[in-house]
Amino acid sequence: MKKVSVIVPVYNAEKYLEKCISSIANQTLDDIEILAINDGSKDNSLNVLDNLSIKYKDKIRVFDKPNGGAGSARNIGIDNATGEFIKFVDADDYLSLNILERMYTIAKEKKVSLVRGNYQTIIGPIKTIDTCSWSNIKESKIVDVRENKDYIVTETPGIGNKLIKRDLIGELRFPEKTKWEDLAIIPVVIASSEKIFHLNEPVYNYRVNMNTTITDFINKIPNILDIVRCCDNIEIEMTKRGLNEEYKEQIESLYILHTLYRVENAMLWVNFPRAKKEIVITSLITILNSKYPNWQNNSIFNRYRKINPLFNWDINRVNKFLNEDYLIDDIEKAKDNINNSFTIKRKIKL
């Protein structure tokens, strides 16, 4: 058994692969494996991986599959991982060379099944540190999640900043061909861990390509209701693990906040027909009202409004739109006009 399995989904990343894979293969922690899954790349990524597999032949295994999204690629990695712990790295990002040893040592010394850290965001020459959390935890320490249940809400659902014990993941898998797939499993993993180590240091170099980010933001428009699938998955998996009642309020909060984040996204769309924007926003709010009729009284939601002025301003805008009938009230019209959304196809509870 290896100490750490590093899973790297790869899609059209030839420009960044050498940097990414080298940063993993040259870690100060020796006993690791790299599982690189080519997800139907249309560029030269597979050839780059094949060459890297020769260069780092004792450390890397390459898998090739038809395109199915990052979730499906990560699932193949999980299925084939032999490590005691699992680390996920996206192909355009990279690690500092000592970070796996740092996180693994902490996990073993502190006897925790999950270590999380901060992101270092890189935009061209600019580097910034993102604490990845809006909790009040500012120092590095062990967190008892059972005593700090809101941690599953306040911690970022991102996967890159975490080292996770393989047993903690168990049978959990990412939903496939779905946006925001990390959200569907990370709160479950955190709740299952009982104790984690909150490392207040950067552990992951997250590269932001502004052109790709803008394109990705636009491409999320047809898939925006995937957020419902991800939030539903949290409750389903929590129930399987017998955690749904203990974390009932937190599950509700995750559903509310992440649905409203997507409303925020929709409100920012430009050059998008107003009628269609209204349909999308109305659908999200209607789903939320149906699932949690008293969602505006949720304590975690209201606490977040107090500490995030921009979010609070956007929620006030949503309320204004609703009160002025800016949004379409006829959900049947919304259902007729939003084609191919997961939510409509699975007959949402309206």
Side-chain angles (χ1 to χ4, degrees):
M1 176 186 287
K2 298 291 185 180
K3 290 179 178 177
V4 178
S5 297
V6 185
I7 296 172
V8 185
V10 178
Y11 180 71
N12 293 348
E14 61 175 333
K15 181 179 177 181
Y16 305 106
L17 268 176
E18 176 75 39
K19 173 82 170 179
C20 174
I21 298 298
S22 295
S23 78
I24 304 168
N26 292 310
Q27 287 285 309
T28 56
L29 183 68
D30 235 0
D31 194 15
I32 67 171
E33 64 175 357
I34 305 168
L35 298 93
I37 301 91
N38 182 54
D39 187 37
S41 295
K42 297 177 181 178
D43 65 358
N44 200 41
S45 291
L46 184 57
N47 288 334
V48 174
L49 286 175
D50 287 339
N51 290 332
L52 288 168
S53 69
I54 295 171
K55 183 177 181 179
Y56 303 113
K57 60 182 179 180
D58 295 330
K59 289 190 175 179
I60 185 171
R61 285 187 282 159
V62 175
F63 301 80
D64 186 31
K65 61 180 283 296
N67 181 256
S72 65
R74 288 171 180 163
N75 289 341
I76 287 177
I78 295 171
D79 291 340
N80 289 276
T82 65
E84 180 186 3
F85 286 82
I86 289 180
K87 184 83 175 70
F88 296 94
V89 179
D90 286 344
D92 53 350
D93 302 328
Y94 62 95
L95 302 178
S96 299
L97 296 183
N98 67 337
I99 207 61
L100 291 183
E101 182 176 18
R102 174 93 170 108
M103 297 181 83
Y104 181 81
T105 300
I106 288 172
K108 300 300 285 185
E109 289 181 351
K110 304 298 182 181
K111 298 180 180 179
V112 296
S113 53
L114 190 153
V115 179
R116 59 77 65 202
N118 300 333
Y119 285 96
Q120 177 167 259
T121 301
I122 301 166
I123 308 174
I126 302 171
K127 296 181 179 180
T128 62
I129 304 300
D130 183 351
T131 60
C132 314
S133 173
W134 50 278
S135 69
N136 293 322
I137 302 173
K138 305 301 180 184
E139 71 276 17
S140 297
K141 59 181 285 188
I142 291 176
V143 175
D144 188 325
V145 182
R146 295 290 175 95
E147 295 180 0
N148 298 272
K149 293 185 175 66
D150 290 356
Y151 194 88
I152 75 167
V153 182
T154 60
E155 167 64 11
T156 176
I159 198 82
N161 69 325
K162 297 171 178 69
L163 181 72
I164 306 169
K165 196 164 187 178
R166 176 65 177 81
D167 293 346
L168 195 61
I169 295 175
E171 299 305 313
L172 268 179
R173 294 297 181 271
F174 292 90
E176 301 188 1
K177 296 182 178 180
T178 303
K179 298 288 185 183
W180 309 290
E181 69 276 359
D182 293 5
L183 172 65
I185 73 165
I186 287 300
V188 184
V189 169
I190 293 175
S192 303
S193 65
E194 297 190 11
K195 292 184 179 181
I196 73 166
F197 194 83
H198 182 101
L199 180 62
N200 194 28
E201 299 174 13
V203 300
Y204 188 90
N205 296 299
Y206 171 63
R207 194 196 306 269
V208 176
N209 182 312
M210 291 307 295
N211 291 331
T212 302
T213 300
I214 292 168
T215 301
D216 185 54
F217 180 74
I218 293 170
N219 288 339
K220 284 179 179 176
I221 291 172
N223 305 92
I224 197 164
L225 292 178
D226 281 1
I227 196 63
V228 177
R229 179 183 185 185
C230 293
C231 291
D232 281 347
N233 194 79
I234 296 170
E235 186 170 9
I236 291 167
E237 296 298 337
M238 287 284 210
T239 301
K240 286 180 183 178
R241 296 189 174 199
L243 298 169
N244 56 310
E245 287 300 321
E246 185 172 0
Y247 290 92
K248 186 176 181 179
E249 183 180 6
Q250 287 72 31
I251 293 170
E252 175 182 324
S253 301
L254 286 162
Y255 201 111
I256 293 167
L257 287 169
H258 286 277
T259 300
L260 292 173
Y261 294 156
R262 303 292 75 83
V263 170
E264 283 188 294
N265 289 165
M267 291 169 69
L268 291 173
W269 292 341
V270 295
N271 299 323
F272 190 74
R274 171 170 167 161
K276 290 184 179 180
K277 182 188 293 190
E278 291 172 346
I279 290 168
V280 171
I281 296 174
T282 300
S283 295
L284 287 167
I285 296 296
T286 303
I287 293 165
L288 187 54
N289 283 336
S290 175
K291 181 79 174 179
Y292 298 110
N294 298 313
W295 60 268
Q296 296 215 37
N297 296 324
N298 179 276
S299 62
I300 300 175
F301 160 69
N302 282 300
R303 177 156 58 90
Y304 189 60
R305 289 187 69 171
K306 290 180 180 178
I307 66 174
N308 190 322
L310 180 59
F311 179 76
N312 185 59
W313 182 69
D314 281 337
I315 297 306
N316 288 335
R317 288 176 67 202
V318 172
N319 286 331
K320 183 173 182 290
F321 292 161
L322 290 169
N323 292 335
E324 293 182 356
D325 295 326
Y326 175 86
L327 304 175
I328 297 171
D329 293 325
D330 186 0
I331 192 59
E332 292 303 320
K333 184 173 181 180
K335 289 165 67 176
D336 289 341
N337 282 277
I338 300 179
N339 297 319
N340 302 318
S341 74
F342 172 83
T343 306
I344 299 304
K345 286 193 290 186
R346 77 176 183 86
K347 297 181 181 177
I348 56 173
K349 298 176 182 178
L350 298 176

